[in-house]
Amino acid sequence: TGDRTAVAVDHARATGLLDHAIEVLTAHNESVAGGIGADALAAPSAEGCRFCDYRPGCARYHEAATGRGDAEGWPSDVFGPVAEHRLLGNGGHMLLIGDPPVRVRGLSGDPDRHPDLSSDLTGSDFAGAYDVERLGGGHSFGEEPRTVIYAV
């Protein structure tokens, strides 16, 4: 119910867009069938990576996001070598991660929330804290509801 509105459609343009979409889909499906890895299909961007669940495992994302720091729109992630992993008196965890290291504090001690924190990560070549919250104006981050920790 409601008022009808006529919309002019450029049929040639619509057909061109459809043909292009079919070409892209066909190329993608052929690549996947040929055994190409997921990283080869990635096209990292601030907008494309923000809510991607595969981001922690995507080498192309890590390459693109390294050194972005506070670049507008990029996800708030910290990753790299672990300089220190400390179990805190309140049962939480603190990590010094990246190069140069930044502090990620207030991480839940619940092993169901962050299973990778159940062992000491100090000296690990690579770990990441994804979707962390910047605390203050310095190089300190904290946990938020979407935060996940992965160690490789």
Side-chain angles (χ1 to χ4, degrees):
T1 64
D3 296 336
R4 290 182 177 229
T5 302
V7 177
V9 175
D10 180 339
H11 290 283
R13 185 166 188 272
T15 300
L17 290 171
L18 176 61
D19 290 344
H20 177 69
I22 290 170
E23 288 174 18
V24 170
L25 177 62
T26 300
H28 172 81
N29 287 341
E30 288 173 356
S31 295
V32 171
I36 192 168
D39 284 342
L41 298 173
S45 68
E47 183 179 308
C49 294
R50 174 160 302 288
F51 296 106
C52 178
D53 290 335
Y54 187 67
R55 188 170 81 234
C58 182
R60 301 265 320 266
Y61 165 73
H62 290 114
E63 291 168 10
T66 296
R68 297 267 183 193
D70 290 330
E72 189 170 319
W74 281 86
S76 183
D77 299 335
V78 178
F79 49 84
V82 179
E84 183 181 355
H85 176 185
R86 186 182 308 161
L87 180 60
L88 305 174
N90 65 1
H93 295 262
M94 186 280 303
L95 296 174
L96 283 177
I97 189 170
D99 187 17
V102 296
R103 185 177 315 275
V104 182
R105 58 190 175 125
L107 296 169
S108 170
D110 180 355
D112 291 331
R113 173 120 170 86
H114 300 302
D116 283 347
L117 293 179
S118 61
S119 61
D120 186 8
L121 299 179
T122 301
S124 296
D125 288 336
F126 189 89
Y130 299 87
D131 286 314
V132 291
E133 175 184 22
R134 180 172 291 282
L135 303 173
H139 295 288
S140 189
F141 296 84
E143 184 174 296
E144 62 179 29
R146 287 181 41 96
T147 299
V148 294
I149 308 296
Y150 289 101
V152 178

